[in-house]
Amino acid sequence: MNRWCVVAILLAFAGALAFRLLKLDTRPYHNDEAVNATKVIDLWQHGRYEYDPDEYHGPTLHYATLPLLWLSSARTPDDLDDRTLRFVPAAFGAALILLLFLFADGIPPRALVWSALFTAISPAMVFYSRYFIHEVLLVFFTALLLGASWRYTRRPSPGWAILAGATLGLMFATKETFVITLAAVAVAAAATGYRVTPKPRSMRQLLTIGWGSSDQPASWLHIGLALSATFLMWLVFFSSFFTNVPGLLDSIRTYFPWLKRATGHSPHLHPWYFYFQRLAWFHSAKGPIWSEGLILVLAAVGAIVSLRQKSTLLRFLTFYTLLLTAAYCAISYKTPWCLLSFFYGMILLAGIGAASLIECVRSASLKAGVMAILLLLSFQLALQSWRASFVYSTDRRNPYVYAQTVPDLLNLVRRVEGIAQVSPEEFNTVVKVIAPADDYWPLPWYLRRFKNIGWYGQIPADPFAPIVIASSQLDARLDEKSGRKWIMAGVSELRPGKFFELYVELQLWTNYVESLPSQPD
């Protein structure tokens, strides 16, 4: 790879990092982010983490965040803000670009430059890299697995085998959907190996030759080292560094509830075209047009070019991306961030497609023209990324917004904190939150400063406290039931269609109102 390509990829990395780190607090936490944040706080403050096989995902996100918290100036959860924890997925999302160097002798350098650019500015990649969720880490570890495996086929060594195995273990410990990626990798490698050498071979030979150009399969020693590294990562992370041995069994048992969700027992069921509806063309009423069609079209070009090449890596990437895309589309359970797994493969193919289009033009002036058109079309991707992450970051007209907390919730939080500050007990004031368990997140994160807070799934026998936050669907009417000794101080929206009523003891509310600065006449 020449130095100009290296410089271009590094510049793409710098731009991607800046894009992802800017104004990380521009929107409130999604409920999934808040769940992850509270788990990280428990690990940070008390050294406790237990993998939950029925909900949530694996432990790598939480443990990857710990060093950041240790190095920060924060000493208590009160010192944290929404930006701090989001730094971790943002860094992993940008670092995806650096992993492209692992493919330097398998993918043409100029194609890697285009892939770096698309990774840096893709609206989906940017938007979800700014989410404190597991998805970007899963994509990063997948890319590292592919890169380490490719390097192993070029020059087999224990180091690359161990890195590939360890990365596979990290994928396992990140999110349960890693099994879909692993299946796509195995089938694509076998299919590529069979295409290269049609005569019958062992599965070990097919998988190895499917990656590289060597006729020799991986040694059993190296396979053993890789599997040992995978086992070690599984053992360490799911046992919570040997503090929660039942977590090892839970890492297997988790596939029963997740399989049930995938086959139709979930509120997140969508048609097969759900992901393409967001990627190809999304236009809601009175909203802007969104499309990552440039990447999709170039990926199709890249796939065609790759299948006509002798490069086994390019063929593998095509098979892998097609298989993974088909698998995610076939599964009924869908959330939009899941598209990142197969979209990363599309971005690699799009880089190949862009470089191929420029290469097939002979005239220097025409090459410059094609490049200018591609750069201009790429610029509109960057504009969409800006719009998605900063202008429409909580707006349902954004294709990547999904069950997002609305900013109005922060008004509720500020009001509750203001009331606490005029209470004699301050943040020891008793607060009761009354709402179905799945409907009150991310309130536990935003009300973490309160020391005496109770959570109720339905209206308790004694619903009253100095501050009460109740879901509007429960029809609490605490002002009427208290004979106006409590006042309803407002209604706030948590997520679209989810409203909360704030009830405050009358004297405490009076004290709060009197503490507010007087408004000019």
Side-chain angles (χ1 to χ4, degrees):
M1 181 182 294
N2 65 60
R3 61 181 179 180
W4 296 114
C5 289
V6 172
V7 169
I9 291 174
L10 292 178
L11 287 174
F13 166 70
L17 193 60
F19 214 162
R20 285 155 173 76
L21 293 179
L22 182 65
K23 296 182 179 180
L24 278 173
D25 58 350
T26 191
R27 57 174 178 77
Y29 268 15
H30 186 279
N31 55 307
D32 289 351
E33 293 181 280
V35 169
N36 292 328
T38 55
K39 286 181 172 291
V40 166
I41 286 176
D42 200 31
L43 177 60
W44 173 43
Q45 293 288 292
H46 308 292
R48 294 193 302 257
Y49 174 84
E50 292 185 4
Y51 174 69
D52 187 332
D54 298 312
E55 293 287 348
Y56 321 122
H57 298 297
T60 56
L61 176 65
H62 310 91
Y63 284 103
T65 307
L66 269 185
L68 175 67
L69 297 178
W70 291 335
L71 294 173
S72 72
S73 59
R75 293 295 174 264
T76 70
D78 296 352
D79 299 328
L80 298 177
D81 58 26
D82 289 356
R83 294 171 297 179
T84 306
L85 301 182
R86 284 175 174 157
F87 179 88
V88 173
F92 273 93
L96 270 172
I97 294 173
L98 298 180
L99 297 184
L100 293 172
F101 288 115
L102 295 174
F103 304 103
D105 56 353
I107 299 176
R110 292 179 182 177
L112 290 177
V113 171
W114 282 105
S115 295
L117 175 64
F118 295 146
T119 302
I121 63 175
S122 159
M125 284 291 180
V126 173
F127 189 78
Y128 291 127
S129 291
R130 297 165 57 84
Y131 258 59
F132 187 60
I133 58 176
H134 300 72
E135 213 65 40
V136 169
L137 270 69
L138 177 62
V139 176
F140 178 88
F141 292 135
T142 300
L144 185 53
L145 170 68
L146 299 181
S149 300
W150 171 248
R151 299 271 28 105
Y152 176 84
T153 65
R154 309 311 292 162
R155 182 172 293 181
S157 70
W160 288 119
I162 291 171
L163 179 59
T167 305
L168 178 59
L170 291 171
M171 290 170 61
F172 190 173
T174 299
K175 194 176 179 185
E176 299 75 13
T177 52
F178 97 99
V179 296
I180 307 173
T181 300
L182 182 60
V185 168
V187 175
T192 306
Y194 185 81
R195 184 180 176 90
V196 172
T197 54
K199 60 184 178 181
R201 289 176 176 267
S202 69
M203 181 57 68
R204 181 165 64 109
Q205 289 173 311
L206 281 176
L207 291 175
T208 306
I209 296 170
W211 275 100
S213 58
S214 172
D215 287 335
Q216 298 299 319
S219 74
W220 287 113
L221 173 62
H222 292 171
I223 292 174
L225 289 172
L227 292 177
S228 296
T230 301
F231 175 80
L232 182 61
M233 293 297 103
W234 169 77
L235 179 66
V236 168
F237 280 99
F238 280 110
S239 70
S240 302
F241 285 78
F242 309 104
T243 63
N244 178 41
V245 175
L248 300 175
L249 179 60
D250 288 339
S251 71
I252 307 301
R253 190 168 66 84
T254 187
Y255 288 95
F256 293 102
W258 283 109
L259 183 61
K260 186 176 180 181
R261 294 185 183 97
T263 55
H265 295 78
S266 169
H268 303 292
L269 302 181
H270 299 285
W272 70 267
Y273 53 82
F274 175 79
Y275 298 120
F276 287 100
Q277 190 178 45
R278 279 153 175 73
L279 289 171
W281 184 269
F282 189 91
H283 186 203
S284 58
K286 298 182 180 180
I289 294 173
W290 308 81
S291 175
E292 299 201 45
L294 174 64
I295 293 176
L296 296 180
V297 170
L298 290 176
V301 174
I304 295 171
V305 170
S306 297
L307 290 176
R308 298 178 64 182
Q309 298 289 325
K310 293 182 179 180
S311 168
T312 52
L313 177 58
L314 299 189
R315 289 177 178 175
F316 166 81
L317 286 175
T318 301
F319 290 141
Y320 163 75
T321 303
L322 290 173
L323 287 165
L324 194 58
T325 303
Y328 271 99
C329 288
I331 296 171
S332 298
Y333 180 96
K334 294 178 177 68
T335 51
W337 41 84
C338 289
L339 65 82
L340 295 188
S341 287
F342 65 81
F343 196 52
Y344 177 72
M346 289 185 176
I347 286 176
L348 294 179
L349 291 176
I352 297 166
S356 299
L357 286 178
I358 297 171
E359 187 67 27
C360 73
V361 178
R362 295 183 180 181
S363 167
S365 58
L366 287 178
K367 284 181 184 290
V370 173
M371 184 179 296
I373 291 172
L374 290 176
L375 288 173
L376 183 62
L377 293 173
S378 299
F379 180 68
Q380 61 85 24
L381 284 179
L383 288 179
Q384 287 185 68
S385 290
W386 178 270
R387 193 167 60 199
S389 295
F390 303 106
V391 182
Y392 290 84
S393 61
T394 63
D395 196 311
R396 283 181 289 176
R397 292 173 292 177
N398 177 343
Y400 304 116
V401 166
Y402 188 79
Q404 173 62 47
T405 307
V406 299
D408 190 37
L409 176 71
L410 300 183
N411 295 327
L412 171 64
V413 172
R414 283 190 286 267
R415 177 167 290 184
V416 171
E417 290 183 343
I419 293 169
Q421 289 169 355
V422 301
S423 169
E425 292 81 16
E426 296 184 332
F427 286 98
N428 288 312
T429 302
V430 175
V431 178
K432 291 183 179 181
V433 180
I434 309 171
D438 293 336
D439 285 346
Y440 57 66
W441 288 93
L443 278 174
W445 164 255
Y446 285 111
L447 297 179
R448 64 190 181 278
R449 299 182 67 184
F450 288 87
K451 311 307 177 186
N452 293 313
I453 187 167
W455 305 90
Y456 303 86
Q458 57 187 358
I459 298 177
D462 178 15
F464 295 102
I467 301 173
V468 180
I469 302 171
S471 171
S472 61
Q473 71 185 67
L474 297 178
D475 195 26
R477 299 186 184 183
L478 298 187
D479 48 350
E480 297 178 11
K481 294 176 181 178
S482 67
R484 306 298 175 181
K485 293 180 181 178
W486 265 256
I487 185 171
M488 190 175 80
V491 177
S492 300
E493 190 174 20
L494 184 140
R495 285 189 296 278
K498 300 290 183 181
F499 294 90
F500 278 77
E501 299 165 348
L502 173 63
Y503 295 93
V504 185
E505 190 272 327
L506 181 58
Q507 185 58 53
L508 181 57
W509 176 251
T510 301
N511 295 342
Y512 169 69
V513 172
E514 291 176 348
S515 72
L516 297 175
S518 58
Q519 298 295 325
D521 295 333

